[in-house]
Amino acid sequence: MNFKKISFILPLFCLNLKVFAGPVVGEVDLSSDNESDNEVFSVGEDIDLSGDGVKIVDIFSDDESTVTDIIDSTIEECSSEECIQTSKRILNKMDISINPCDDFYHFACGGWESKAISNEIDNKNEFEKLSEKVDNEIIEILKGEYKVDEKLSQEDQEYDEKNYKKVKDIFNFCMKSESNESYPNEHLKNFVKNLNITENLETLKERESLTKMMTKLQLNGVEPFIYFFPDRQPSISKNVIMTLYVSEEMTIHSYMHYLIKKAPKIIPLYKEFIKNIYTSIIGNRPDIDLVVDKIYETENKISEIFINNNFEDYEYLTLKQLNEKYTFINWDLYLNNIFEYYNLSTIINSDMLIYNPLPKLYEEINNVISELSADNLAYYFEWNAIYMDILDDYYSSDILEESDKFIELLSTINGEENELHVDGTYISQFNYNKSNSLVNTIKKKYSKTKSKPNNSYTEDENSDKDNICLNYIYKTLPLTVSKYYVSNYFDDNNKVIVKQMINNIKEAMIIRINKMEWLDEETKEYAMKKVSKMKESIGYFDDIMNPKKIYQEYENLNIDNKLDLIIKSKVLNYGSILKLFDDTISVYPYVNI
C-alpha cells in the first residue's frame, strides 16, 4: 500500500466526523445527476432533531430499556457546503424507508446496494474517487514550486528543499523522457550485459552459483522463477512468516507457450519473434538460432509443469526443511543476500517458518531446473531480462509493433484451446478472473503498442503519463512524497481529534466490558487488557515529517535514465514490502502490493 491509500482514509474519517458532530442546518437536497439516486432515496420527514433532547436506547447494553445520556441539541451545527455534500453522500448510501429495528443492514447500506445493482455506470467507490483526488493533489505539488515550511528549523528547511528538488527532478525526468527510443536500445542492452548471465556458464548449474545469479536477477527486477512476500498469520505464528510464490512472468509465458504448441504452424513464427526481439537488444550473433531454440525448449519444459498438474495442496515448513526439499538453490544464502541488500536486521535461521501454497509446483520446478542445461537457464534468464512486463512504457516502437503483431496472430488460434480458463488456487494469486480466456488474458497483458508517436499526447494521454510517473515516485520516494502531501493537505488538528476519539472509544469499551454481567472476571480482565494495548496509526508516522531522516534515506538514490527509474521503482518497492519482516523498523515506506 502506498501513502496515498493511507493518507485519504483518515481525512475522510475526519470529514465525516465533522458532519456527524451536529445536524445539518436547512434542507439537504438529495437530487443527483444520476437518475437511479432519485429513484432509490427519499428523505425521511419524520426524523426530527429539533426537540429539547432525544432519548436514545442503548441497543448494546444488557438491558434494552437502558436510556443513554440526552443528546445536547445546542451543539454547534455544521452548515458548510463541505458538510452538506458529505451528508448528502452518506444519506444516498442509506435507505431510510427501512425501519432500522427490522433490518439495520439495509437501512444503513440499502441505497448503495440498490445503486450498485441498478446502475453500473458509476463503478468507482468513495475510496477510488478520493484516491484520484489525492493523486491529482500530489501531481499538483510535483508540478509546482517549493514552499518553505515555516514550522521547520533552518537546518531542516535546507534538507526539505533538497528532498523536494530530488523528487521533483525525478518526476520531471520521467515526464520529459522520450519513450520508444530508437533501437538498438543501448540502456537495455547495457542492463542485460551488466547482469553477466552467460559469463560463467560452466559453473551456473552449481547450487551456489545459481543461487547468486537468481539473487542478482531478483535485485535487478527480474523474476524468472520465484519470489516471496512477508505474511502475517497469527493463528500459525506470532512472527511474520515468508510466503513463497512463482513469478507472474513465468506463469503467463508458460500459458502463452501452451497456446502456441496447440497451433504448430505458429511455432516457427514464435521463434522468429523471439529472435527479432533478442537481436534488437543484444545484437546479432552467429549462434542466434541455437539461443532461440534453447529459450523455446526451456519455456516448453516449464509450460508442461502448469498444464499437466493440479496444484491444490499447501504446506508449512522451516527454512531447514525448505533447503532439504527444494535443492535447486541455497535458500539460506538467497534470503541472507536479499535481506542484507535491503538492510533488514531480521536474522535468517533454520527454524524460520515458510508458507508454501504450491508444494507440488515447487517439486516440479526443482526437477525441471535440475534437468535443464546451463545454456538453457542462461538464455532463458536473458530472455526474461529483455522481455519484461514492467518495460511496456519503455520499449522502442519497433519492439512494441513486433509484440502486437505476434499477439494478434496468437489471438486468431481457433478451437477449444481459445476457451481454456485459468483455474485453480495456483493461479488465483494473480487475480485472473476465471471467465477470462487465456488468449484474452495474454493479449491484454502483452499488447504493448501506444496509440501516439513520441511527444504527441492528447490531454487524456498527458494525464496517463502524469499517473505513470507518479506511480514511479510512489515506489522510489514514498516517504518524500508523503511528507509534502501531509504538509500541504493534512490538518494536524484532525490527528488530535481522531486520537481523542480513539481514546474515548477505548475508554468506553473498557467501561462497557466491566459492566457486562454475562462475562466472568477473568474474561473481563483479558478483554480490557486487550483494548488498552490496541495500537493506532493515525494519518501518518511522525518520522516522515523529519526532512533530515528522509534525506538520509534516499541520499544514495541516483537515477540516470528512464530504464533505471523503472527497474529501481520495482526493486525499491519490493524492499518496502520486505521491511514488514523487520520488527525494528518503526516507519514502513508505503508500498503497492
Side-chain angles (χ1 to χ4, degrees):
M1 180 172 76
N2 55 37
F3 175 77
K4 67 173 185 177
K5 292 183 180 177
I6 197 169
S7 68
F8 65 68
I9 293 175
L10 264 301
L12 178 64
F13 187 34
C14 294
L15 184 61
N16 287 344
L17 168 65
K18 291 180 180 178
V19 175
F20 291 138
V24 177
V25 174
E27 295 182 358
V28 178
D29 180 13
L30 291 181
S31 61
S32 170
D33 294 335
N34 191 325
E35 292 183 2
S36 66
D37 288 343
N38 297 328
E39 294 173 359
V40 175
F41 310 108
S42 61
V43 180
E45 289 82 8
D46 57 333
I47 298 178
D48 181 13
L49 297 178
S50 60
D52 294 334
V54 179
K55 293 183 178 180
I56 306 295
V57 175
D58 184 356
I59 63 173
F60 297 105
S61 69
D62 292 328
D63 182 0
E64 293 191 2
S65 64
T66 301
V67 177
T68 65
D69 294 336
I70 301 300
I71 294 178
D72 181 5
S73 62
T74 63
I75 191 170
E76 182 180 353
E77 298 169 335
C78 179
S79 59
S80 69
E81 179 65 20
E82 183 179 51
C83 282
I84 292 173
Q85 291 303 317
T86 301
S87 63
K88 174 182 172 180
R89 287 198 303 271
I90 294 170
L91 289 171
N92 273 339
K93 300 297 184 288
M94 300 169 64
D95 183 355
I96 55 179
S97 66
I98 302 293
N99 186 333
C101 295
D102 294 336
D103 190 340
F104 184 79
Y105 173 79
H106 284 94
F107 169 77
C109 305
W112 173 85
E113 192 175 56
S114 298
K115 180 181 177 183
I117 294 172
S118 63
N119 180 22
E120 297 179 357
I121 296 175
D122 183 14
N123 58 2
K124 293 181 181 178
N125 60 40
E126 295 300 322
F127 289 110
E128 289 171 325
K129 292 176 182 176
L130 198 52
S131 176
E132 288 183 1
K133 179 176 181 291
V134 171
D135 282 347
N136 291 333
E137 288 169 342
I138 294 177
I139 289 170
E140 186 178 333
I141 292 171
L142 295 175
K143 289 185 174 182
E145 300 296 329
Y146 174 69
K147 298 177 183 178
V148 177
D149 190 340
E150 301 292 348
K151 293 182 289 185
L152 300 175
S153 66
Q154 181 65 38
E155 180 187 18
D156 280 342
Q157 285 180 5
E158 292 175 4
Y159 281 115
D160 196 47
E161 188 169 6
K162 290 177 183 177
N163 294 336
Y164 181 81
K165 184 178 185 306
K166 173 167 278 192
V167 70
K168 185 179 177 69
D169 284 349
I170 293 177
F171 182 77
N172 288 341
F173 172 79
C174 175
M175 292 294 294
K176 293 177 182 178
S177 287
E178 294 185 3
S179 59
N180 303 342
E181 298 172 3
S182 300
Y183 73 76
N185 191 315
E186 292 301 319
H187 293 314
L188 187 51
K189 179 179 180 178
N190 290 334
F191 169 73
V192 178
K193 181 181 179 181
N194 290 335
L195 291 174
N196 297 319
I197 295 172
T198 59
E199 187 176 43
N200 298 305
L201 283 177
E202 65 278 1
T203 61
L204 182 61
K205 280 294 296 285
E206 295 176 6
R207 195 182 188 207
E208 302 301 302
S209 296
L210 184 58
T211 300
K212 290 178 182 178
M213 177 53 64
M214 291 185 65
T215 304
K216 181 191 287 188
L217 293 172
Q218 178 86 56
L219 297 177
N220 281 278
V222 185
E223 297 170 346
F225 292 119
I226 64 173
Y227 68 95
F228 62 89
F229 279 142
D231 192 8
R232 296 186 184 275
Q233 298 188 32
S235 62
I236 303 299
S237 171
K238 65 179 181 179
N239 299 319
V240 178
I241 64 177
M242 183 179 81
T243 297
L244 283 173
Y245 288 106
V246 293
S247 76
E248 183 175 357
E249 298 290 340
M250 182 178 79
T251 306
I252 295 298
H253 270 286
S254 297
Y255 278 102
M256 183 171 72
H257 191 80
Y258 171 79
L259 287 175
I260 292 167
K261 289 200 303 178
K262 290 296 182 180
K265 64 180 181 180
I266 292 183
I267 294 176
L269 299 176
Y270 179 56
K271 289 185 176 182
E272 187 68 19
F273 165 73
I274 295 175
K275 181 178 179 179
N276 291 340
I277 301 294
Y278 190 95
T279 54
S280 294
I281 303 302
I282 305 299
N284 208 350
R285 47 187 293 174
D287 61 345
I288 183 62
D289 290 330
L290 174 63
V291 170
V292 171
D293 285 341
K294 294 287 186 181
I295 293 172
Y296 180 84
E297 180 185 352
T298 304
E299 285 192 342
N300 184 41
K301 286 183 176 294
I302 293 173
S303 70
E304 293 296 329
I305 296 176
F306 288 90
I307 303 306
N308 296 329
N309 290 278
N310 185 20
F311 309 108
E312 295 181 347
D313 295 335
Y314 65 90
E315 64 182 356
Y316 290 92
L317 64 172
T318 63
L319 182 57
K320 181 175 183 291
Q321 292 170 327
L322 185 72
N323 266 312
E324 294 170 347
K325 188 171 183 179
Y326 309 114
T327 59
F328 61 94
I329 63 170
N330 183 329
W331 292 92
D332 293 89
L333 179 61
Y334 177 77
L335 290 174
N336 272 302
N337 286 345
I338 289 179
F339 277 44
E340 181 180 353
Y341 177 87
Y342 290 114
N343 296 316
L344 297 175
S345 63
T346 302
I347 303 300
I348 304 298
N349 59 69
S350 60
D351 294 326
M352 183 177 181
L353 191 62
I354 314 294
Y355 170 56
N356 181 9
L358 311 164
K360 290 184 179 179
L361 178 58
Y362 266 90
E363 288 176 13
E364 294 293 336
I365 292 175
N366 192 73
N367 295 336
V368 166
I369 291 179
S370 65
E371 295 171 1
L372 291 169
S373 69
D375 287 349
N376 283 81
L377 285 174
Y379 299 139
Y380 179 72
F381 289 162
E382 281 191 336
W383 176 238
N384 275 264
I386 291 169
Y387 201 65
M388 286 192 286
D389 189 44
I390 61 170
L391 300 182
D392 285 1
D393 189 49
Y394 180 75
Y395 285 121
S396 66
S397 57
D398 289 1
I399 290 180
L400 298 177
E401 291 168 6
E402 190 80 29
S403 297
D404 269 11
K405 185 170 64 176
F406 179 75
I407 295 303
E408 283 299 323
L409 176 66
L410 187 64
S411 68
T412 63
I413 300 175
N414 295 318
E416 293 181 1
E417 306 86 2
N418 247 357
E419 300 305 319
L420 180 65
H421 294 123
V422 182
D423 289 325
T425 55
Y426 58 99
I427 203 71
S428 62
Q429 60 180 293
F430 304 128
N431 298 318
Y432 296 137
N433 191 306
K434 292 184 179 181
S435 65
N436 290 337
S437 72
L438 281 173
V439 170
N440 290 334
T441 302
I442 292 167
K443 185 176 178 181
K444 181 179 179 182
K445 184 174 180 63
Y446 281 86
S447 181
K448 301 177 184 298
T449 298
K450 306 297 183 290
S451 59
K452 293 287 180 180
N454 295 343
N455 301 324
S456 177
Y457 295 97
T458 66
E459 184 176 344
D460 287 342
E461 287 165 338
N462 269 325
S463 177
D464 288 342
K465 194 171 185 182
D466 286 348
N467 286 302
I468 288 171
C469 292
L470 180 61
N471 193 45
Y472 291 139
I473 295 298
Y474 283 146
K475 293 178 179 179
T476 53
L477 297 158
L479 300 181
T480 308
V481 75
S482 298
K483 190 273 174 190
Y484 294 113
Y485 181 81
V486 170
S487 295
N488 283 270
Y489 291 103
F490 195 91
D491 185 352
D492 282 337
N493 289 330
N494 286 337
K495 195 169 184 177
V496 175
I497 292 170
V498 175
K499 174 70 173 177
Q500 185 59 52
M501 281 181 60
I502 293 173
N503 288 339
N504 290 343
I505 291 171
K506 290 167 71 173
E507 182 180 344
M509 287 179 68
I510 290 174
I511 293 173
R512 183 182 296 276
I513 291 169
N514 196 41
K515 291 181 178 180
M516 290 180 176
E517 297 180 0
W518 53 275
L519 290 178
D520 59 53
E521 293 303 317
E522 183 181 357
T523 304
K524 286 182 182 180
E525 184 178 348
Y526 180 82
M528 289 187 288
K529 183 178 179 181
K530 187 171 184 177
V531 171
S532 65
K533 288 190 174 183
M534 289 173 62
K535 296 180 181 179
E536 65 272 354
S537 296
I538 306 172
Y540 59 88
F541 295 104
D542 291 336
D543 278 0
I544 70 169
M545 302 306 290
N546 187 322
K548 186 174 182 179
K549 283 188 177 182
I550 293 176
Y551 177 83
Q552 292 170 341
E553 178 74 21
Y554 303 119
E555 186 175 8
N556 297 321
L557 176 62
N558 298 306
I559 295 175
D560 301 321
N561 56 70
K562 188 170 183 179
L563 176 65
D564 201 26
L565 174 61
I566 294 170
I567 297 298
K568 285 182 178 175
S569 68
K570 180 177 181 179
V571 173
L572 292 175
N573 187 59
Y574 184 58
S576 297
I577 296 169
L578 293 185
K579 289 185 187 298
L580 294 172
F581 269 121
D582 198 334
D583 294 332
T584 68
I585 296 177
S586 59
V587 177
Y588 301 132
Y590 303 92
V591 296
N592 291 322
I593 56 176

